[in-house]
Every structure is written in C-alpha cells, then in structure tokens.
Amino acid sequence: MKKMAAILLAATLILSACGGGGSAATTAAPASTESTTAAETTAVEGSGQKTYTSGTYTASAQGNNGPVELSVTFSEDAITEITIGKHGETTGISDAAFEKIPAAIIKNQSLAVDAISGATYTSQAILDAVADCVAQAGGDAEALRAVAVKAEEEEENAVLADADTDVLVIGGGGAGLSAALSASQNGARVILVEKLSALGGNTFRCGGAFNTYDPEGQKDIPMTEALSSAVEKVLAHEDVSEEHAKLKAEVQAQWDEYKASGDTMLFDSPEWHALQSIDAGDYEGDVELVRTFTSNTLDMHRRFHRQSITPWAVWRLTATPKCLMPTAMSSPAFMRLVK
C-alpha cells in the first residue's frame, strides 16, 4: 500500500513544467464536437438587440491551448444552438466550460455569462467566438454583454452535516492531497473537501513532460562528451551528508561499470536521476525522498502512452505523453487509500 502511495506521489511531483495558473501550457486534447441545443431557450425580457439574419455562422477565439472553433445557429430573434468544433483544450479541465457556457448563453440570450472556475481562458474563448458570430448575424454583441443573467439557485448540500472524521482537509490541491494521504496512512479517518469539479489544484495542469529514466525510450540517444562531463562534475561534488555520499558512491559504481562496458548510448539510472535532481536543487533536497520519487517514476510512466523524448530536456529523460497526465493523487487508487 505504501509503495503504491509513493508511486502516486512520484507521478504528480516529478511532472515537469506543471502550470501554476490559468495560463499554464497543457497537452492538447483531441479535437471534439459538442453541441448545445435550444431545448431550454428562453428569450429574456429587455435583452437588447435580438434581430439576427437567421442561419449558422462559424468563428474561433484563442483559448488556453490554441483556437477554439464553434458554430452558432440563429433564428430571427434568438441564439438557438452552439456547437463546439475543433480545439486543443485539455480534457477534464475544459469539459465544464464546453458544457455550461453555451447552455447559459442560450438560456439567457446573454454574453454576460460567468466563466467557469479553473477554465477561465476556455470560457472566454467561447464567449468571444459567440460574440463574433453574433456580429456576423447582424446582432449587437455589446448589447448582449449587458444582458443580466439570472442567478442559478444554489442547492444546499448537507452531505457533511453529520459526518464524523478525525481529519478534515479543505482543498484538494497538491498540499491537501498529500496531507490527506499522510493522515490516512497513519490510521486517521479522513474527509477531503474540494470546491472544483476535479482534484489536483495546480498539479492537474501539466505541461506534458514527465521525467524518468527509461531504458527503452533512451536506447537510441548517444552519450556525448558534454553529457559525460556533466556526470563527472556531479560526481566530483563534495559530500553534503551521509545519504548524499552513499547515493554518490552508488552512481560512481554504475558510471565506472558503464565506461568499462564500452556502451555509447545514454547513461542513466534511478540513482543518477536522484543525484542529478539533488544537484539541480542546490543540495537542499531530502535525499531519501528524492530517491523514492525517482525509483518509482518508470512504473508510473509505463501506464501512459509515450510520444517522444523531449529534445530540449537537460538530460534526455523527459518524455512527452500523447495524453494528459492525470493527477495521480486524484486517481481511484489514491481515493481508495484516502477512504
């Protein structure tokens, strides 16, 4: 159980270039087509300009990962359908925006719809593209932006009213998930509360790069003189702790064996990955914790489809998955641990 927990933690915390906010780059999702119909279309009183040239118009606007294309169908006095076309937004993060924003526009006949928390740029792209279509249809987008949107009645959720727990964690981001996991591993009953539709916080947004040693993925990468010098430099660093000295000795033995073998392909191992990570962190990191991360990354990496080794990586151990690397801590396995 603890090994699985370590693997899950490693998958989240070793991810490279994880986004810190809405502007973070994420792996492009496959194009999809989604449609919101006029089943609940209601013309709002005083909704400004409602005269359109009926028909279907297309437009696109910049989302988080690129253009979001859509088409809008108009009757003479209303927006009747919005169909999402090709886009590169991240599956799981953008879903709520694609579902709720078009529906709210049609229901309220308004462009004053609130953005979806966590998918702000996707939401704005939908609103901007619809505004473009409104203009194409002869409507007044600015007038629609001034139309008040009727607030949805919030349902009171009393699911935790009578709950009994040892630890209540508010917020399911990286810190909250780590706290919940640690408390659960130490025998506590844990309840984790998150306001968004998905767990993970900033860890849910990944730039698409995942660091791990990978014999299969690295077998065709040559070991250059510059890379060899990098290994020698890190091995020559003075010992900063007993744990660091032990790790360095292990890598030194691996390096000596590698050179004696005459191999010309990339030298790598979980121990070298750990030593290199300690070096990159100015020798401030917990050696045993870093070891745990790097010894478990390959197992998690193999659970996902690889696309290629990222060419700009400092050491050629950074892979680019074809799909979004989901937050490991929000996986079913993690949730079973927390429960």
Side-chain angles (χ1 to χ4, degrees):
M1 183 71 73
K2 290 185 177 180
K3 181 178 179 181
M4 175 62 75
I7 292 173
L8 294 172
L9 284 166
T12 297
L13 299 177
I14 293 291
L15 290 174
S16 297
C18 286
S23 61
T26 50
T27 304
S32 64
T33 300
E34 305 167 30
S35 177
T36 298
T37 66
E40 297 183 296
T41 301
T42 302
V44 179
E45 291 296 325
S47 59
Q49 175 61 263
K50 294 188 292 183
T51 300
Y52 307 106
T53 301
S54 59
T56 299
Y57 303 84
T58 61
S60 67
Q62 182 65 31
N64 191 64
N65 302 333
V68 174
E69 299 177 4
L70 55 74
S71 61
V72 182
T73 300
F74 298 85
S75 65
E76 292 184 354
D77 61 358
I79 299 170
T80 61
E81 184 176 0
I82 300 172
T83 301
I84 304 298
K86 184 178 180 182
H87 66 84
E89 303 302 90
T90 304
T91 301
I93 297 178
S94 63
D95 293 354
F98 288 136
E99 176 186 351
K100 296 180 179 180
I101 298 294
I105 292 173
I106 291 172
K107 180 178 180 180
N108 295 279
Q109 295 298 301
S110 172
L111 292 176
V113 175
D114 287 338
I116 300 299
S117 180
T120 304
Y121 290 167
T122 303
S123 301
Q124 192 59 52
I126 297 170
L127 292 168
D128 290 345
V130 172
D132 188 334
C133 291
V134 167
Q136 293 180 53
D140 187 340
E142 290 305 314
L144 291 183
R145 288 191 176 98
V147 175
V149 174
K150 183 179 180 180
E152 297 287 342
E153 293 184 6
E154 295 185 3
E155 295 182 6
E156 183 176 350
N157 191 338
V159 67
L160 298 179
D162 300 317
D164 183 18
T165 189
D166 298 318
V167 177
L168 175 63
V169 179
I170 308 297
L177 288 167
S178 298
L181 177 60
S182 178
S184 177
Q185 288 179 324
N186 284 280
R189 293 171 299 168
V190 180
I191 292 178
L192 176 68
V193 181
E194 169 58 49
K195 68 178 181 179
L196 298 180
S197 59
L199 292 173
N202 285 345
T203 70
F204 194 76
R205 296 164 173 79
C206 173
F210 186 79
N211 280 345
T212 183
Y213 74 102
D214 181 7
E216 180 183 348
Q218 298 166 320
K219 61 184 176 62
D220 296 323
I221 300 174
M223 188 67 184
T224 65
E225 183 176 341
L227 293 175
S228 296
S229 297
V231 176
E232 298 283 1
K233 180 180 179 181
V234 173
L235 286 172
H237 195 282
E238 64 179 339
D239 299 342
V240 298
S241 67
E242 291 184 8
E243 293 80 6
H244 173 242
K246 180 181 178 181
L247 175 61
K248 198 170 69 169
E250 291 179 32
V251 176
Q252 182 69 64
Q254 293 173 353
W255 179 237
D256 292 341
E257 182 180 353
Y258 169 84
K259 289 188 295 182
S261 72
D263 193 351
T264 60
M265 294 298 105
L266 189 71
F267 166 76
D268 208 355
S269 70
E271 292 76 26
W272 166 241
H273 186 184
L275 188 62
Q276 187 185 34
S277 298
I278 293 295
D279 179 75
D282 297 326
Y283 296 87
E284 297 291 336
D286 184 309
V287 174
E288 294 307 312
L289 181 59
V290 174
R291 274 180 176 267
T292 299
F293 293 158
T294 60
S295 64
N296 286 294
T297 52
L298 183 59
D299 180 69
M300 182 57 70
H301 180 46
R302 285 173 174 167
R303 298 169 186 263
F304 301 93
H305 298 294
R306 287 187 299 274
Q307 182 178 26
S308 63
I309 297 295
T310 304
W312 41 257
V314 175
W315 199 262
R316 301 298 293 278
L317 47 67
T318 303
T320 304
K322 289 182 179 179
C323 59
L324 171 70
M325 292 291 291
T327 303
M329 290 189 222
S330 62
S331 68
F334 172 81
M335 296 314 299
R336 285 196 295 272
L337 285 174
V338 174
K339 290 178 181 178

